[in-house]
Amino acid sequence: MATPIRPKATRAMAPRLLALALLATLLGCAQGGNAAAPSSPTSREQPPMDAELQTMVRAALADATRRAPPGAAAPTLVRAERVTWPDGSIGCPQPGRMYTMALVPGYRILIQSGAEQLDYHASLRGQPALCPAGRATGAMPDSRVY
């Protein structure tokens, strides 16, 4: 009997399937363990997070957890997206500072912590930094919202 031939595409999909499984686990944790919770009617199917963004989300959640008051509910991921920042301030300029006027690819991560929504910004090479409310500027979306 002949051995079935497996296309190379099947092997190439393994990292994507692993990322999808990790995303499902993260979403299940963010929804209080209920991975089967219904999605909102306006939500659209999202691509799996890449490994770099997963690392950024974990770092942002860890920082949000450290900032939360004792006994508060665990912070949850609201949205994570790849963006292009309009300059070196990565969307969070500090008064009196000058920044490079070059496009900077990066990430924006929104975390819900109690009644507060925390806005984390990062370049592709940096760590996510909390941008205080009122100081955040817009980014150019990269059309990949997670």
Side-chain angles (χ1 to χ4, degrees), residues 65-112:
T65 300
R66 283 190 297 273
R67 293 173 185 274
T76 58
L77 175 65
V78 173
R79 181 178 182 158
E81 62 185 327
R82 185 175 179 149
V83 297
T84 300
W85 300 109
D87 59 37
S89 73
I90 62 171
C92 194
Q94 294 181 18
R97 292 198 59 189
M98 295 182 70
Y99 298 95
T100 61
M101 296 308 294
L103 299 177
V104 178
Y107 300 105
R108 183 175 195 181
I109 302 163
L110 298 176
I111 304 288
Q112 189 69 41

Side-chain angles (χ1 to χ4, degrees), residues 44-47 79-84 106 139-146:
R44 60 178 191 207
E45 190 174 322
Q46 304 299 330
R79 181 178 182 158
E81 62 185 327
R82 185 175 179 149
V83 297
T84 300
M140 297 175 280
D142 191 11
S143 74
R144 288 183 275 181
V145 178
Y146 302 91

Side-chain angles (χ1 to χ4, degrees), residues 7-52:
K8 290 182 182 178
T10 304
R11 282 182 264 143
M13 289 180 61
R16 289 182 183 158
L17 292 173
L18 181 61
L20 190 57
L22 181 58
L23 177 62
T25 302
L26 287 172
L27 289 175
C29 291
Q31 294 175 358
N34 186 4
S39 61
S40 68
T42 59
S43 71
R44 60 178 191 207
E45 190 174 322
Q46 304 299 330
M49 281 190 228
D50 59 32
E52 291 83 13

